Amino acid sequence: MNKIEHIGIAVKDAEASKKVFDTLLNRQAYKEEPVESEGVNTVFYELGESKLELLAATHEGSAIAKYLEKNREGIHHMAVGVDDIHAEMKRLRAEGFVFINEEPKRGADNKLIAFIHPKSANGILLELCQDID
Ligand code: ZN
């Protein structure tokens, strides 16, 4: 693991939250990208080496919609950058960590991603992500 790649923030209304974060961070988002498989729209802000990722549901059945039924808007997950996601998943599985997805999948912002279940990671939903070049 080489850095905190981004912090994922669950939001109800991407447009309203963009106004908040534009002002808060004093910059514009550099990318907006829907991820069909997850039922989310993502909005990315650069912050030094790391990023903030706003996540808004695109339909009621999406994981973010379900999350927001039970939780307030706010920090949803932490993502760490890895050089080799397959090797890192193998290492962590051997140590007993449980992944939500069995295989890495394509995420937003040109990444291969995999989520570790919060029950394995001290309550944190942890995303591993590797750049796709
Ligand atoms: Zn993420």
Side-chain angles (χ1 to χ4, degrees), residues 5-9 42 44 53 55 76-79 108 113 115 127 129:
E5 214 284 331
H6 64 266
I7 302 287
I9 298 168
T42 61
F44 283 93
E53 176 189 41
L55 300 151
H76 175 260
H77 66 272
M78 181 172 86
I113 65 168
F115 284 96
E127 175 186 353
C129 53

Side-chain angles (χ1 to χ4, degrees), residues 3 5-6 30-31 33 44 51 53 79-82 85 104-114 127-133:
K3 65 175 175 181
E5 214 284 331
H6 64 266
Y30 72 89
K31 186 188 260 191
E33 184 183 350
F44 283 93
K51 298 161 192 162
E53 176 189 41
V80 293
V82 297
I85 196 167
K105 59 186 175 181
R106 192 154 187 138
D109 206 27
N110 245 358
K111 301 274 190 264
L112 270 181
I113 65 168
E127 175 186 353
L128 305 184
C129 53
Q130 178 190 337
D131 286 321
I132 302 169
D133 306 304

Side-chain angles (χ1 to χ4, degrees), residues 15-122:
E15 288 309 310
S17 294
K18 262 168 61 184
K19 287 187 188 138
V20 173
F21 282 91
D22 282 0
T23 307
L24 183 66
L25 302 173
N26 197 24
R27 72 200 66 188
Q28 308 270 304
Y30 72 89
K31 186 188 260 191
E32 289 187 43
E33 184 183 350
V35 183
E36 299 290 343
S37 60
E38 301 293 308
V40 294
N41 267 322
T42 61
V43 178
F44 283 93
Y45 289 91
E46 220 158 16
L47 198 61
E49 275 217 322
S50 304
K51 298 161 192 162
L52 292 186
E53 176 189 41
L54 308 186
L55 300 151
T58 55
H59 60 81
E60 282 181 14
S62 88
I64 289 296
K66 287 179 191 160
Y67 177 86
L68 287 173
E69 282 170 17
K70 296 181 204 147
N71 303 280
R72 283 190 254 184
E73 291 182 291
I75 293 178
H76 175 260
H77 66 272
M78 181 172 86
V80 293
V82 297
D83 297 325
D84 181 343
I85 196 167
H86 292 93
E88 201 59 7
M89 287 178 80
K90 191 175 171 193
R91 180 184 76 82
L92 290 166
R93 277 209 179 98
E95 297 285 359
F97 288 89
V98 175
F99 281 82
I100 292 174
N101 42 307
E102 290 302 309
E103 291 295 323
K105 59 186 175 181
R106 192 154 187 138
D109 206 27
N110 245 358
K111 301 274 190 264
L112 270 181
I113 65 168
F115 284 96
I116 299 174
H117 198 285
K119 72 185 177 195
S120 302
N122 224 150

